Amino acid sequence: MAAPSLLNWRRVSSFTGPVPRARHGHRAVAIRELMIIFGGGNEGIADELHVYNTVTNQWFLPAVRGDIPPGCAAHGFVCDGTRILVFGGMVEYGRYSNELYELQASRWLWKKVKPHPPSSGSPPCPRLGHSFSLYGNKCYLFGGLANESEDSNNNVPRYLNDFYELELQHGSGVVGWSIPVTKGIVPSPRESHTAVIYCKRDSGSPKMYVFGGMCGARLDDLWQLDLETMSWSKPETKGTVPLPRSLHTASVIGNKMYVFGGWVPHKGENIETSPHDCEWRCTSSFSYLNLDTAEWTTLVSDSQEDKKNSRPRPRAGHCAVAIGTRLYFWSGRDGYKKALNSQVCCKDLWYLDTEKPPAPSQVQLIKATTNSFHVKWDEVPTVEGYLLQLNTDLPYQAASSDSSASPNMQGVRMDPHRQGSNSIIPNSISEIVNSVKSEHTAMKGTSVKNKPDLKASTDSNASSHSSLAANASNHNSCVVDMLRKNEGPHTSADIGVLSSCLDLRTVIPETSVSSTVSSAQTMVTQQTIKTESSSTNGAVVKDETSLTTFSTKAEVDETCALPATKISRVEAHAAMVPFSKETPSNPVAMVKAGERQWCDVGIFKNNTALVSQFYLLPKGKQSISKIGNADVPDYSLLKKQDLVPGTGYRFRVAAINGCGIGPFSKISEFKTCIPGFPGAPSAVRISKNVEGIHLSWEPPTSPSGNILEYSAYLAIRTAQIQDNPSQLVFMRIYCGLKTSCIVTAGQLANAHIDYTSRPAIVFRISAKNEKGYGPATQVRWLQDSVAD
C-alpha cells in the first residue's frame, strides 16, 4: 500500500444520468462494476434505488417492481450474487423495522420474504444501526439500536448485542433465523458499528470482525468471532488504533480492512474523563487493519488537514464500496455539531486505488498486415489505462538525443492517425478518469453496441503467415496432417507458419440475447441463450441446433448490459504464439529483456490498440514524466520507428491505476505479413446437418492472386495434448477449392475441448495462392462444460 503522502484520491467530476440527492445513513453494495445504493435520509427518508456504473460514469434509476420496500435508513444491506437483501432500519423517526426484503437485480424485482423464526427464542426485534454481514449462504446480524417505547414519538433507546444467523436458499428466498450459541465474552451493546468477514487463504475458518460503534459514547474496540467455533475474542493489535468512532465504514480488500470517516471526539476533548459530555465531530481519517497480522496502519490521520481538497472532506454516515481493489465513497453528512440543523450532507463521489492493478492477459492478435497489428487484451477492472510495449529481433538504433527538444515538456503525445482511436493523449491519467467514457463495457465476456466496430476489418482474423522455423521451439502448436505427396510432409517447424498466426484467447463477440434492455437503464441479466449468431471480426458462426455429442446452450452468468446485452458462443480470431519468458516490470520506455530492449507503443485508455510504430528512447536519457504514481516517458520528445513487413515482434502490456503501473503480462509474439500472400478466410459459419456440422467461409478479401486451395483443421485429442494442454495438435479435415466442408460426427468425437478460456472445439482455416499459405482464421465453437 502506498505511504499516506502518496495516496491518490480521485474525485469523480464528470458523470451522466440522474444523480441521487445527498444523504446519510444509506447503504451500498457492488455487483461487478455497478454500485447500487438504497435508502438513507436527508429531508425525509429516501426510498429510491440508485445505480452507478463505475465504468461508464453513469447514474441511473432502474424500473423496480414487485413488493417495493418503504424507504429506510441505517439498515442492513448485503449482496449475494445478483440478489440483494435489506433488513431493518429506520422507516420514520422513532419507528424501526425488522422486515426482510429481497431484490433480484437480474429483473429489478423486489420481494418481501418471511424467514422462519428461531426454534428457540424470538426473531430479531425492530432496529437500526445494526451490522448485517454475508458469508457463504448465511447472513450474520449483530447489535443495533431498538426503541423501547411503543410510542414512536417517545424514543427510549436500547442498545443491542444480540446475534442472529439467517440461512439463505440458493438463488432466491431464505430458510429462517437461528440464534447460535457462542463462547467467550460477548461484545458490549452498540449501534452504528461495522462488521466484516474475512477468511485467511491458509485457514478454512472465517472470522467476523466488529469495530467501533456507539453506546452512549463512541467505541474503539475490535472483536473477533470465529464462525466455525462461534467463539468471541478480543485480538491484540499492533500499531495506532483509530480514534473511537461510529457511523464509519469498513471495507475488506485482500487481507486489509479499510476504515474511513465517522464521528470521533472533538480535538482537545478528553474522552476518558467525560465520554458522554464531550463534543464530537466528523473525520476524514483513513486507516487499515491487516487482518493476517492484526496491525493497524494510519494512512490519513485526524490531525492531517487537507487544504487543497485533494481527498474527501470529513463525513459520517456515508457509504463505501469495494470494486476490485478500488474503494468508492459517496455522500454522508458533515458538521461539528450533533444538532440536526448543523448537519450538511456531502454530494461528492470519490475513489481510491488501494494497490497496483494485476497483470492483464497476454496480448491477443485481431489482425496483422504488412506493417501493422490490431491487438487486444482482456480488460482489467478499475484501471485508468494500459502501457503496451514491444521488442523485436530486428536491429534498430536508439534515437539520437535532440538538443532542440525542451526537456521540460510534459505530457503524453501520440499520433492518432498512426496509433488508432484508442490512443490516450493526456497530460495526466486523471484526464482519462474524469472524462465520460463513451465506450460502455459489459461484464464477463460480453460486448455492447457502442464498442468499437471491429467488423470493418475485412481480414480481421488474419495474422502473420511467414515461417517461424528458426523459432520452432517457441511454438505451442503443431499439426498432424496427411498431406498430398507433391507438398511433402509438414514438420512442426513448417506448420509454425500456421500456428504463429493463431490466438487461443481472443474474444470480440457480438451475439443477440433473447431479451434486450432499454437504453435508459442497465440490467443485470441471468438467462440462457438458445439460438446464437456470432460475429467476431468478420467471422460469423451460426449455431442453431444441438449435436447429440455436444450441447451448445449457454448459461449467461450475472451479466450487465448497457444498453443491450450481446454474448458470444463462438470465437473466431487470429493467432498468437505464447512466449514463455517471464517479463520484467520496470515501466520505462526501453527495458533490457534478454538481448533486446522493450520499447513503448504507448498508453491506451481501452483494451485494444492499432500498432504501426513504436517509440525509441534516446541513449542515456529517461525523459520521465508522472502519470499518477507511475513514471512514463514524455512521448512528445521521442522518435518513432515503423513496423517492418515479415518481422516478428514480442508484446506485453501492463495496467495503470492511481497506485502506478502494475506487473506486465506474459509475452506474446506475432509476425507482420509478407506482401503477396493471401489474407485469412472470413465470415466463418457453422450449421448442423445429419452428418455432423457444415463449416463454410468466405474467400480472403485480399487474395493477392488466385486462390489455389483451402485447408481446414480440427484440434484433436492426443496423449501429447493431455500432457501439455496449451499445445494444441491439429488434423487436417479438408483440402480443396470449395469454401465449405462437412465435419462428420466421427471426426467431432475425436475433437479436443479447449479450456484456455471457455470450453470450445477449435477449427483453423487458411487459403493458399501461388506464394503459399497465408494466415489462418481460428474459430472456437463454444460448448457447455463437457469432459474432454
Side-chain angles (χ1 to χ4, degrees):
M1 180 68 198
S5 60
L6 298 179
L7 287 178
N8 204 351
W9 292 94
R10 305 290 175 86
R11 180 172 180 173
V12 180
S13 57
S14 179
F15 40 76
T16 59
V19 180
R21 74 177 190 265
R23 64 193 64 192
H24 60 92
H26 53 290
R27 299 288 186 261
V29 295
I31 299 181
R32 303 297 175 92
E33 71 257 36
L34 302 181
M35 180 171 70
I36 300 173
I37 295 170
F38 181 68
N42 180 20
E43 300 179 358
I45 294 179
D47 60 0
E48 315 96 359
L49 189 78
H50 290 268
V51 181
Y52 177 71
N53 187 314
T54 60
V55 172
T56 63
N57 293 342
Q58 181 185 32
W59 288 99
F60 64 94
L61 278 164
V64 296
R65 55 198 175 92
D67 305 324
I68 299 174
C72 56
H75 47 288
F77 200 56
V78 297
C79 180
D80 174 32
T82 57
R83 69 166 162 181
I84 296 171
L85 293 170
V86 180
F87 174 75
M90 182 172 71
V91 291
E92 61 183 48
Y93 180 76
R95 188 165 72 86
Y96 309 152
S97 168
N98 63 348
E99 293 179 339
L100 182 67
Y101 288 86
E102 175 186 276
L103 172 69
Q104 289 289 343
S106 58
R107 294 169 286 166
W108 300 123
L109 177 65
W110 283 105
K111 182 174 68 173
K112 187 175 182 179
V113 291
K114 297 181 179 180
H116 294 298
S119 57
S120 61
S122 303
C125 66
R127 66 188 66 202
L128 62 71
H130 47 282
S131 59
F132 196 53
S133 310
L134 173 77
Y135 188 82
N137 69 330
K138 293 178 180 177
C139 289
Y140 298 93
L141 170 68
F142 176 74
L145 180 70
N147 185 1
E148 288 285 78
S149 173
E150 295 182 0
D151 180 5
S152 61
N153 294 319
N154 182 25
N155 197 358
V156 180
R158 177 168 64 97
Y159 294 97
L160 305 171
N161 66 345
D162 50 357
F163 179 62
Y164 287 86
E165 183 179 270
L166 175 66
E167 184 178 354
L168 311 181
Q169 290 178 348
H170 179 70
S172 178
V174 298
V175 178
W177 294 105
S178 62
I179 304 176
V181 177
T182 61
K183 307 169 189 174
I185 299 174
V186 178
S188 59
R190 66 192 64 207
E191 58 101 0
S192 297
H193 55 282
T194 54
V196 302
I197 297 177
Y198 170 71
C199 186
K200 289 184 180 180
R201 290 184 179 179
D202 58 350
S203 170
S205 178
K207 311 284 196 308
M208 184 172 80
Y209 294 87
V210 175
F211 175 68
M214 170 75 172
C215 62
R218 270 76 184 180
L219 303 168
D220 64 354
D221 50 351
L222 177 72
W223 294 84
Q224 174 185 287
L225 175 65
D226 188 310
L227 295 179
E228 285 191 356
T229 63
M230 286 296 166
S231 300
W232 285 104
S233 61
K234 200 170 181 182
E236 293 186 8
T237 62
K238 296 172 284 186
T240 303
V241 178
L243 288 176
R245 67 191 60 215
S246 63
L247 293 172
H248 54 288
T249 54
S251 309
V252 174
I253 296 179
N255 65 344
K256 298 179 179 68
M257 178 180 77
Y258 292 90
V259 174
F260 175 75
W263 285 101
V264 298
H266 198 283
K267 293 178 182 178
E269 295 287 347
N270 187 341
I271 62 170
E272 293 182 358
T273 58
S274 56
H276 293 270
D277 300 323
C278 70
E279 291 283 349
W280 301 90
R281 63 180 177 87
C282 291
T283 181
S284 59
S285 60
F286 186 44
S287 303
Y288 72 77
L289 175 68
N290 186 313
L291 297 171
D292 291 335
T293 63
E295 182 173 3
W296 285 103
T297 299
T298 301
L299 299 173
V300 178
S301 69
D302 289 276
S303 61
Q304 286 179 275
E305 294 186 5
D306 179 28
K307 297 179 179 179
K308 298 181 180 180
N309 296 319
S310 59
R311 66 173 185 263
R313 71 179 190 263
R315 67 194 64 210
H318 52 285
C319 69
V321 164
I323 297 180
T325 57
R326 178 175 288 180
L327 268 175
Y328 282 86
F329 303 92
W330 182 71
S331 201
R333 63 183 179 183
D334 191 5
Y336 285 86
K337 299 293 183 182
K338 292 170 65 176
L340 291 175
N341 58 6
S342 295
Q343 294 171 0
V344 177
C345 285
C346 310
K347 300 178 181 179
D348 46 357
L349 173 64
W350 293 78
Y351 68 82
L352 176 73
D353 289 309
T354 60
E355 58 189 59
K356 291 182 179 181
S361 66
Q362 286 178 283
V363 177
Q364 303 155 17
L365 186 62
I366 298 170
K367 178 184 177 181
T369 68
T370 55
N371 59 2
S372 71
F373 296 110
H374 192 175
V375 296
K376 75 177 290 289
W377 50 91
D378 292 346
E379 290 178 329
V380 177
T382 63
V383 300
E384 299 170 6
Y386 301 90
L387 172 63
L388 181 64
Q389 293 185 333
L390 64 73
N391 73 26
T392 180
D393 293 329
L394 182 74
Y396 58 83
Q397 300 295 325
S400 59
S401 178
D402 186 354
S403 59
S404 64
S406 169
N408 296 321
M409 290 175 63
Q410 298 295 315
V412 180
R413 296 288 183 267
M414 300 177 66
D415 182 350
H417 299 290
R418 299 303 300 269
Q419 296 294 344
S421 60
N422 186 30
S423 298
I424 293 177
I425 314 177
N427 284 317
S428 76
I429 278 286
S430 60
E431 294 179 16
I432 307 164
V433 185
N434 294 331
S435 64
V436 180
K437 297 177 183 177
S438 61
E439 178 178 345
H440 293 213
T441 306
M443 293 180 274
K444 201 168 184 177
T446 68
S447 63
V448 288
K449 283 184 177 178
N450 55 348
K451 283 198 104 166
D453 185 5
L454 301 177
K455 291 187 291 183
S457 302
T458 54
D459 257 350
S460 55
N461 301 300
S463 67
S464 165
H465 53 273
S466 302
S467 173
L468 295 178
N471 294 318
S473 61
N474 291 331
H475 300 329
N476 272 13
S477 303
C478 64
V479 173
V480 176
D481 196 358
M482 298 301 293
L483 299 168
R484 292 181 297 176
K485 291 181 180 180
N486 62 349
E487 284 189 47
H490 270 209
T491 66
S492 60
D494 292 332
I495 213 63
V497 175
L498 181 63
S499 65
S500 68
C501 304
L502 298 168
D503 173 7
L504 301 181
R505 296 179 180 84
T506 303
V507 186
I508 308 175
E510 287 192 354
T511 302
S512 297
V513 173
S514 57
S515 65
T516 59
V517 190
S518 72
S519 59
Q521 68 178 58
T522 301
M523 180 173 287
V524 181
T525 60
Q526 284 184 315
Q527 54 194 329
T528 300
I529 305 173
K530 294 182 179 179
T531 302
E532 297 82 19
S533 176
S534 300
S535 174
T536 309
N537 304 318
V540 178
V541 182
K542 292 186 177 178
D543 181 11
E544 299 175 350
T545 57
S546 295
L547 280 175
T548 55
T549 311
F550 305 103
S551 170
T552 58
K553 294 182 179 179
E555 182 88 1
V556 181
D557 286 342
E558 304 166 8
T559 303
C560 167
L562 206 172
T565 306
K566 302 228 174 190
I567 303 200
S568 175
R569 292 280 300 136
V570 182
E571 308 165 8
H573 40 75
M576 171 181 70
V577 175
F579 200 69
S580 60
K581 294 180 181 178
E582 291 298 318
T583 65
S585 57
N586 192 351
V588 296
M590 302 173 71
V591 183
K592 286 283 186 180
E595 297 181 356
R596 291 295 166 186
Q597 291 177 309
W598 287 99
C599 303
D600 285 5
V601 177
I603 295 176
F604 297 87
K605 182 172 66 175
N606 302 317
N607 63 325
T608 62
L610 181 61
V611 182
S612 59
Q613 54 190 196
F614 53 92
Y615 291 92
L616 301 176
L617 191 65
K619 286 183 178 179
K621 293 236 177 181
Q622 294 298 313
S623 300
I624 297 297
S625 61
K626 281 279 187 181
I627 289 189
N629 288 327
D631 289 332
V632 296
D634 183 350
Y635 295 122
S636 64
L637 304 180
L638 303 183
K639 291 190 176 181
K640 307 170 189 176
Q641 181 159 318
D642 292 334
L643 301 190
V644 177
T647 303
Y649 294 90
R650 301 174 191 90
F651 285 88
R652 67 181 189 178
V653 64
I656 304 170
N657 67 10
C659 290
I661 299 176
F664 279 94
S665 66
K666 293 181 179 179
I667 297 172
S668 303
E669 186 172 5
F670 315 118
K671 210 167 189 181
T672 48
C673 297
I674 297 176
F677 286 83
S682 61
V684 180
R685 291 177 172 83
I686 295 175
S687 58
K688 304 294 181 57
N689 62 21
V690 293
E691 299 177 68
I693 65 168
H694 183 257
L695 185 65
S696 64
W697 56 90
E698 295 294 331
T701 53
S702 53
S704 300
N706 295 323
I707 298 298
L708 302 181
E709 66 183 27
Y710 296 95
S711 285
Y713 301 85
L714 170 67
I716 59 170
R717 282 188 300 236
T718 65
Q720 177 184 359
I721 207 170
Q722 290 175 352
D723 295 336
N724 184 5
S726 63
Q727 187 174 40
L728 294 181
V729 176
F730 285 83
M731 176 180 70
R732 186 152 73 176
I733 54 175
Y734 172 76
C735 181
L737 268 173
K738 289 184 178 180
T739 56
S740 65
C741 67
I742 298 296
V743 186
T744 66
Q747 291 171 322
L748 290 172
N750 293 318
H752 165 66
I753 307 297
D754 176 47
Y755 287 94
T756 51
S757 53
R758 290 171 290 176
I761 295 174
V762 182
F763 297 97
R764 294 178 176 178
I765 306 162
S766 59
K768 180 182 179 181
N769 66 7
E770 291 85 350
K771 275 204 166 187
Y773 272 98
T777 296
Q778 176 164 296
V779 177
R780 302 184 77 251
W781 181 31
L782 297 185
Q783 310 293 307
D784 279 339
S785 295
V786 292
D788 197 0

PDB file of all heavy atoms in Angstrom, residues 412-426:
ATOM      1  N   VAL A 412       1.795  13.268 -22.529  1.00  0.00           N
ATOM      2  CA  VAL A 412       1.891  12.155 -23.454  1.00  0.00           C
ATOM      3  C   VAL A 412       1.330  12.612 -24.777  1.00  0.00           C
ATOM      4  O   VAL A 412       0.213  13.122 -24.843  1.00  0.00           O
ATOM      5  CB  VAL A 412       1.096  10.950 -22.932  1.00  0.00           C
ATOM      6  CG1 VAL A 412       1.204   9.795 -23.886  1.00  0.00           C
ATOM      7  CG2 VAL A 412       1.625  10.546 -21.555  1.00  0.00           C
ATOM      8  N   ARG A 413       2.079  12.443 -25.831  1.00  0.00           N
ATOM      9  CA  ARG A 413       1.612  12.858 -27.151  1.00  0.00           C
ATOM     10  C   ARG A 413       1.761  11.700 -28.123  1.00  0.00           C
ATOM     11  O   ARG A 413       2.829  11.119 -28.236  1.00  0.00           O
ATOM     12  CB  ARG A 413       2.417  14.057 -27.682  1.00  0.00           C
ATOM     13  CG  ARG A 413       2.242  15.299 -26.822  1.00  0.00           C
ATOM     14  CD  ARG A 413       0.841  15.873 -27.010  1.00  0.00           C
ATOM     15  NE  ARG A 413       0.678  17.096 -26.248  1.00  0.00           N
ATOM     16  CZ  ARG A 413       0.189  17.128 -25.030  1.00  0.00           C
ATOM     17  NH1 ARG A 413      -0.165  16.017 -24.433  1.00  0.00           N
ATOM     18  NH2 ARG A 413       0.049  18.282 -24.387  1.00  0.00           N
ATOM     19  N   MET A 414       0.681  11.369 -28.828  1.00  0.00           N
ATOM     20  CA  MET A 414       0.730  10.276 -29.776  1.00  0.00           C
ATOM     21  C   MET A 414       0.029  10.702 -31.050  1.00  0.00           C
ATOM     22  O   MET A 414      -0.824  11.580 -31.037  1.00  0.00           O
ATOM     23  CB  MET A 414       0.072   9.018 -29.190  1.00  0.00           C
ATOM     24  CG  MET A 414       0.750   8.542 -27.908  1.00  0.00           C
ATOM     25  SD  MET A 414      -0.062   7.142 -27.201  1.00  0.00           S
ATOM     26  CE  MET A 414       0.278   5.941 -28.468  1.00  0.00           C
ATOM     27  N   ASP A 415       0.395  10.066 -32.135  1.00  0.00           N
ATOM     28  CA  ASP A 415      -0.191  10.389 -33.430  1.00  0.00           C
ATOM     29  C   ASP A 415      -1.452   9.564 -33.605  1.00  0.00           C
ATOM     30  O   ASP A 415      -1.388   8.359 -33.832  1.00  0.00           O
ATOM     31  CB  ASP A 415       0.818  10.058 -34.538  1.00  0.00           C
ATOM     32  CG  ASP A 415       0.290  10.421 -35.907  1.00  0.00           C
ATOM     33  OD1 ASP A 415      -0.910  10.733 -36.001  1.00  0.00           O
ATOM     34  OD2 ASP A 415       1.072  10.389 -36.867  1.00  0.00           O
ATOM     35  N   PRO A 416      -2.644  10.169 -33.495  1.00  0.00           N
ATOM     36  CA  PRO A 416      -3.867   9.366 -33.556  1.00  0.00           C
ATOM     37  C   PRO A 416      -4.078   8.711 -34.896  1.00  0.00           C
ATOM     38  O   PRO A 416      -4.736   7.696 -35.000  1.00  0.00           O
ATOM     39  CB  PRO A 416      -4.974  10.390 -33.238  1.00  0.00           C
ATOM     40  CG  PRO A 416      -4.377  11.711 -33.578  1.00  0.00           C
ATOM     41  CD  PRO A 416      -2.911  11.597 -33.297  1.00  0.00           C
ATOM     42  N   HIS A 417      -3.505   9.270 -35.946  1.00  0.00           N
ATOM     43  CA  HIS A 417      -3.697   8.658 -37.274  1.00  0.00           C
ATOM     44  C   HIS A 417      -2.883   7.383 -37.408  1.00  0.00           C
ATOM     45  O   HIS A 417      -3.236   6.477 -38.149  1.00  0.00           O
ATOM     46  CB  HIS A 417      -3.301   9.653 -38.369  1.00  0.00           C
ATOM     47  CG  HIS A 417      -4.131  10.892 -38.350  1.00  0.00           C
ATOM     48  ND1 HIS A 417      -5.455  10.907 -38.711  1.00  0.00           N
ATOM     49  CD2 HIS A 417      -3.823  12.157 -37.951  1.00  0.00           C
ATOM     50  CE1 HIS A 417      -5.942  12.135 -38.584  1.00  0.00           C
ATOM     51  NE2 HIS A 417      -4.975  12.909 -38.124  1.00  0.00           N
ATOM     52  N   ARG A 418      -1.783   7.297 -36.664  1.00  0.00           N
ATOM     53  CA  ARG A 418      -0.963   6.105 -36.752  1.00  0.00           C
ATOM     54  C   ARG A 418      -1.295   5.091 -35.675  1.00  0.00           C
ATOM     55  O   ARG A 418      -1.168   3.904 -35.861  1.00  0.00           O
ATOM     56  CB  ARG A 418       0.531   6.480 -36.638  1.00  0.00           C
ATOM     57  CG  ARG A 418       1.007   7.398 -37.741  1.00  0.00           C
ATOM     58  CD  ARG A 418       0.746   6.782 -39.115  1.00  0.00           C
ATOM     59  NE  ARG A 418       1.434   5.514 -39.294  1.00  0.00           N
ATOM     60  CZ  ARG A 418       2.644   5.407 -39.816  1.00  0.00           C
ATOM     61  NH1 ARG A 418       3.284   6.468 -40.235  1.00  0.00           N
ATOM     62  NH2 ARG A 418       3.210   4.228 -39.946  1.00  0.00           N
ATOM     63  N   GLN A 419      -1.721   5.570 -34.511  1.00  0.00           N
ATOM     64  CA  GLN A 419      -1.920   4.664 -33.396  1.00  0.00           C
ATOM     65  C   GLN A 419      -3.361   4.258 -33.185  1.00  0.00           C
ATOM     66  O   GLN A 419      -3.639   3.392 -32.392  1.00  0.00           O
ATOM     67  CB  GLN A 419      -1.392   5.304 -32.106  1.00  0.00           C
ATOM     68  CG  GLN A 419       0.102   5.543 -32.116  1.00  0.00           C
ATOM     69  CD  GLN A 419       0.897   4.249 -32.148  1.00  0.00           C
ATOM     70  OE1 GLN A 419       0.361   3.194 -31.873  1.00  0.00           O
ATOM     71  NE2 GLN A 419       2.146   4.329 -32.511  1.00  0.00           N
ATOM     72  N   GLY A 420      -4.297   4.882 -33.848  1.00  0.00           N
ATOM     73  CA  GLY A 420      -5.689   4.470 -33.696  1.00  0.00           C
ATOM     74  C   GLY A 420      -6.423   5.293 -32.662  1.00  0.00           C
ATOM     75  O   GLY A 420      -5.852   6.056 -31.901  1.00  0.00           O
ATOM     76  N   SER A 421      -7.747   5.126 -32.649  1.00  0.00           N
ATOM     77  CA  SER A 421      -8.601   5.975 -31.825  1.00  0.00           C
ATOM     78  C   SER A 421      -8.475   5.685 -30.343  1.00  0.00           C
ATOM     79  O   SER A 421      -8.975   6.442 -29.531  1.00  0.00           O
ATOM     80  CB  SER A 421     -10.061   5.785 -32.241  1.00  0.00           C
ATOM     81  OG  SER A 421     -10.433   4.440 -32.057  1.00  0.00           O
ATOM     82  N   ASN A 422      -7.808   4.610 -29.973  1.00  0.00           N
ATOM     83  CA  ASN A 422      -7.696   4.263 -28.556  1.00  0.00           C
ATOM     84  C   ASN A 422      -6.558   4.987 -27.872  1.00  0.00           C
ATOM     85  O   ASN A 422      -6.376   4.878 -26.682  1.00  0.00           O
ATOM     86  CB  ASN A 422      -7.505   2.753 -28.419  1.00  0.00           C
ATOM     87  CG  ASN A 422      -7.515   2.308 -26.983  1.00  0.00           C
ATOM     88  OD1 ASN A 422      -8.168   2.917 -26.153  1.00  0.00           O
ATOM     89  ND2 ASN A 422      -6.787   1.252 -26.689  1.00  0.00           N
ATOM     90  N   SER A 423      -5.738   5.724 -28.623  1.00  0.00           N
ATOM     91  CA  SER A 423      -4.595   6.371 -28.005  1.00  0.00           C
ATOM     92  C   SER A 423      -5.033   7.394 -26.987  1.00  0.00           C
ATOM     93  O   SER A 423      -5.990   8.121 -27.183  1.00  0.00           O
ATOM     94  CB  SER A 423      -3.756   7.083 -29.077  1.00  0.00           C
ATOM     95  OG  SER A 423      -3.268   6.153 -30.003  1.00  0.00           O
ATOM     96  N   ILE A 424      -4.294   7.441 -25.897  1.00  0.00           N
ATOM     97  CA  ILE A 424      -4.538   8.451 -24.878  1.00  0.00           C
ATOM     98  C   ILE A 424      -3.599   9.608 -25.143  1.00  0.00           C
ATOM     99  O   ILE A 424      -2.411   9.414 -25.361  1.00  0.00           O
ATOM    100  CB  ILE A 424      -4.263   7.870 -23.478  1.00  0.00           C
ATOM    101  CG1 ILE A 424      -5.289   6.798 -23.176  1.00  0.00           C
ATOM    102  CG2 ILE A 424      -4.288   8.947 -22.424  1.00  0.00           C
ATOM    103  CD1 ILE A 424      -5.054   6.128 -21.872  1.00  0.00           C
ATOM    104  N   ILE A 425      -4.126  10.800 -25.112  1.00  0.00           N
ATOM    105  CA  ILE A 425      -3.281  11.965 -25.323  1.00  0.00           C
ATOM    106  C   ILE A 425      -3.513  12.930 -24.170  1.00  0.00           C
ATOM    107  O   ILE A 425      -4.009  14.025 -24.349  1.00  0.00           O
ATOM    108  CB  ILE A 425      -3.592  12.637 -26.677  1.00  0.00           C
ATOM    109  CG1 ILE A 425      -3.690  11.566 -27.772  1.00  0.00           C
ATOM    110  CG2 ILE A 425      -2.519  13.634 -27.032  1.00  0.00           C
ATOM    111  CD1 ILE A 425      -4.060  12.115 -29.102  1.00  0.00           C
ATOM    112  N   PRO A 426      -3.199  12.506 -22.939  1.00  0.00           N
ATOM    113  CA  PRO A 426      -3.469  13.361 -21.789  1.00  0.00           C
ATOM    114  C   PRO A 426      -2.202  14.017 -21.276  1.00  0.00           C
ATOM    115  O   PRO A 426      -1.090  13.632 -21.620  1.00  0.00           O
ATOM    116  CB  PRO A 426      -3.949  12.355 -20.751  1.00  0.00           C
ATOM    117  CG  PRO A 426      -3.090  11.157 -21.035  1.00  0.00           C
ATOM    118  CD  PRO A 426      -2.778  11.193 -22.527  1.00  0.00           C
TER     119      PRO A 426
END
